[in-house]
Each structure stands twice: as C-alpha cells, then as structure tokens.
Amino acid sequence: MSSPLLVVGSVAFDTLHNPSGTHSRILGGSATYASLAASHFTKVRLVGVVGKDYPDSAIQMFRQHDIDLEGLEVDKSGDTFHWEGRYSDDLNSRTTLATDLNVFATFSPKIPAAFKSSPFVMLGNIDPVLQLEVLKQVEKPKLVVADTMNFWIGGKRDDLIKTLARVDVLVLNDEEARELSGKSALVTAARALFAMGPRVIVIKKGEHGAVLFEGSEIFSAPAYPTGEVIDPTGAGDTFAGGFIGYIASKGETSHATLRRAVVYGSALASYSVEGIGVDRVLTLTRDDIEKRYNIFRTLTSFHE
Ligand code: AMP
C-alpha cells in the first residue's frame, strides 16, 4: 500500500557551466530533485526553506506534482540557497565554484504535526545537523534514507557520523564512500559504512550504475546506456528520490523491493541527465519510467 514520504533537503537556485553553455539560477537543490522524482510513485511532503527571491512559478511546479508544501518555509530575510558548478567537457567531473547557504545558514527545520508520522523519510543532501534535527522530530519511521556529499563529509564529519547512527539506508557515490570509510575497495567500504549505523548501503557509480549492499546480499545494476547526457546535475538526488519513492509506493522494505527500487532510481536518473536541471523529469510519465525499467531488465538478462 502506498505510504507518504517526507523529503528534506536543499531547495536551490543553481548556476551551471557545462558544454551547452551557462545556465544561470535555474531550479535545483537536493529536495527539489528528490521530491519530483519520488512524486511519480507516492505522495511527497517537502520540508525545506526558500528566500524572498523564490518565484511563485516554482511553488506552482511543486503543486502540479501534488507535492505537499506545508513544510516549505519562506524566509523573507534572505535569499534562496545558491550553488554554482562547472563541469568538465566530458561531464564526468565538476568543480564547485560557489555554495551560498543564504537562508539555509539559519534554517532550523520544523516538521508540521501532520508530517511527523510519515512512514518513509528521505534526508536529502543537506547539513547533517539539520538531518538529525529532522530525525528527532519524526515518530518511528519504517525507513530512513540519507544522502550526503563530499562538502559535508569533509566539513562536518562528526555530525554526519551522529546522523548516520539513526539512518537505515545510506546513498552516496563511490568517491564519497571511499572518503567517508577510508577504504578503497567498495565491498570493504560498504562494510565500514555498515559499522556506522545504516543496514543498507547504496553506492552510485555515475555512468557505471549502482550497487546495493544489505547484509551479505549484493545487487549491482548498470546505468542506462543513454547517448544523450546533457546535464548530470541532480542525478544522484533523482536516483535517491526514485529509489525511496518506489519503496514508499510498496509500503514495505523487503530485499526484493530494495533491488527493484535501485532499478527505478537508475531509470529516473537516466532521464534526469537528458535535460537541463529538472526539465526532463518534469515532463516524464509513469509509462516512460516503466519502459526504461523494462529495458534494464533486458540489459542484465543473460541466462535464457
Ligand atoms: P547532485 O548532482 O545529485 O550531487 O546534486 C546537485 C544538487 O545539490 C544541486 O541542485 C545543488 O543545489 C545541491 N547542492 C550542492 N551543494 C550542496 C550542499 N552543500 N548542500 C545541499 N545541497 C547542495
């Protein structure tokens, strides 16, 4: 049975420099990508903050996707979080040019009473101190998924470790898994990350797919061989949103469901990179997602 999903994370303006040009102040943020992806599967409740410069059209965009904005604070005292990054010509690496926290610097998440019993929680990439504040306010969720990034692994490691002790599933990329665990082989890295608290680790490997570790089970999904990578921004958050959105739509957390969720997350992420910012994910239908899910099935079938 489909269950509501609480998503917390950054709601941002992004300025991107990539081979197709400069895209100034487009909609971005971990919570934006994750909630739009998850909204294809279940009812999403968004918690975050925006500033006085955040446009009404963006609020409407969330509403059109039936995303509940009761937990989206509008802080008129400052501007919306802004992130700026430059991609390499092959789009495989990027450099952060600016992280302007703006209203995020003083944000303290307040979970609306109606959201506190959300059975599924997605802690999008955001300050781990804020992630923990959210966990202190929710009532025994069935599953908590957290995402993070090098900015926090390097800058707030001790806080991140405190948060991880209360997380069920950690989603991160291979470089971050190595940095956080101090181990170079991904299997050993996953074991070291288990010891920090999460019982499931999902390691994203960009164009090489994703690997799920749960106990002694390992599941590896390829990436969709898209010929059209235009903008990889938000692929990780879209993956995480699709992953937990699918799990919430099933209402249970069996290993088989987690495996299928990795494939749904990968399908969503493969669409996300085909457009600038959230453009492609906005126009997706459930039918498009199912089509790509089925292509993944044929991609990995070899024993008929
Ligand atoms: P991804 O490409 O999946 O790593 O996510 C990119 C998104 O993360 C962008 O839309 C940014 O707005 C957001 N972002 C970048 N840095 C941070 C940060 N330090 N905290 C929260 N969100 C961030």
Side-chain angles (χ1 to χ4, degrees):
M1 203 198 60
S2 186
S3 307
L5 167 68
L6 178 74
V7 175
V8 62
S10 54
V11 180
F13 282 129
D14 289 345
T15 296
L16 312 174
H17 307 274
N18 64 26
S20 69
T22 290
H23 307 275
S24 290
R25 296 176 62 76
I26 60 171
L27 298 182
S30 55
T32 303
Y33 282 104
S35 51
L36 287 171
S39 72
H40 287 284
F41 299 100
T42 197
K43 177 79 191 171
V44 175
R45 300 164 164 177
L46 179 61
V47 171
V49 64
V50 293
K52 59 181 184 315
D53 53 351
Y54 201 67
D56 232 26
S57 53
I59 302 280
Q60 292 315 323
M61 172 201 76
F62 286 118
R63 294 227 162 95
Q64 274 158 15
H65 284 77
D66 199 25
I67 294 169
D68 189 333
L69 299 179
E70 197 191 331
L72 182 67
E73 199 182 306
V74 182
D75 180 346
K76 299 270 189 217
S77 71
D79 286 334
T80 302
F81 175 88
H82 173 248
W83 176 78
E84 181 168 2
R86 181 183 301 282
Y87 285 87
S88 59
D89 285 345
D90 64 5
L91 292 168
N92 278 329
S93 60
R94 75 177 180 208
T95 313
T96 291
L97 302 179
T99 301
D100 306 319
L101 292 177
N102 298 335
V103 288
F104 254 108
T106 51
F107 176 58
S108 167
K110 282 171 257 350
I111 310 298
F115 289 8
K116 289 193 175 177
S117 58
S118 302
F120 292 87
V121 176
M122 167 80 222
L123 302 173
N125 171 31
I126 192 182
D127 186 332
V129 173
L130 301 183
Q131 292 179 323
L132 190 59
E133 274 180 39
V134 170
L135 291 184
K136 285 181 183 159
Q137 294 174 60
V138 293
E139 295 155 6
K140 289 208 174 73
K142 263 192 196 166
L143 196 77
V144 176
V145 177
D147 192 354
T148 192
M149 75 184 293
N150 46 10
F151 186 82
W152 305 115
I153 297 172
K156 291 222 174 170
R157 189 186 171 84
D158 292 348
D159 293 305
L160 180 59
I161 286 174
K162 269 188 217 146
T163 302
L164 289 182
R166 299 175 60 162
V167 161
D168 300 300
V169 183
L170 175 62
V171 179
L172 72 185
N173 72 31
D174 44 359
E175 205 182 292
E176 293 155 356
R178 291 190 173 104
E179 191 180 339
L180 182 58
S181 66
K183 308 282 180 197
S184 51
L186 291 186
V187 177
T188 347
R191 273 194 217 120
L193 297 172
F194 281 150
M196 296 180 184
R199 62 179 180 78
V200 178
I201 308 292
V202 182
I203 301 182
K204 300 165 290 180
K205 299 189 297 167
E207 61 178 340
H208 304 295
V211 189
L212 169 95
F213 297 88
E214 181 178 31
S216 56
E217 298 272 6
I218 301 180
F219 171 63
S220 175
Y224 178 80
T226 177
E228 267 192 82
V229 180
I230 294 180
D231 173 20
T233 311
D237 310 304
T238 304
F239 172 92
F243 173 80
I244 188 160
Y246 174 73
I247 297 171
S249 77
K250 292 285 138 191
E252 55 88 15
T253 63
S254 65
H255 184 68
T257 293
L258 297 187
R259 284 182 175 231
R260 283 194 296 272
V262 169
V263 178
Y264 275 109
S266 305
L268 261 301
S270 74
Y271 277 120
S272 176
V273 303
E274 291 178 1
I276 299 289
V278 295
D279 284 0
R280 185 67 185 98
V281 172
L282 284 183
T283 59
L284 274 185
T285 63
R286 186 62 198 258
D287 221 35
D288 295 326
I289 298 169
E290 292 302 329
K291 269 193 204 127
R292 212 157 266 192
Y293 178 86
N294 286 323
I295 294 175
F296 272 90
R297 209 196 281 276
T298 58
L299 263 181
T300 50
S301 166
F302 60 89
H303 57 77
E304 267 111 85

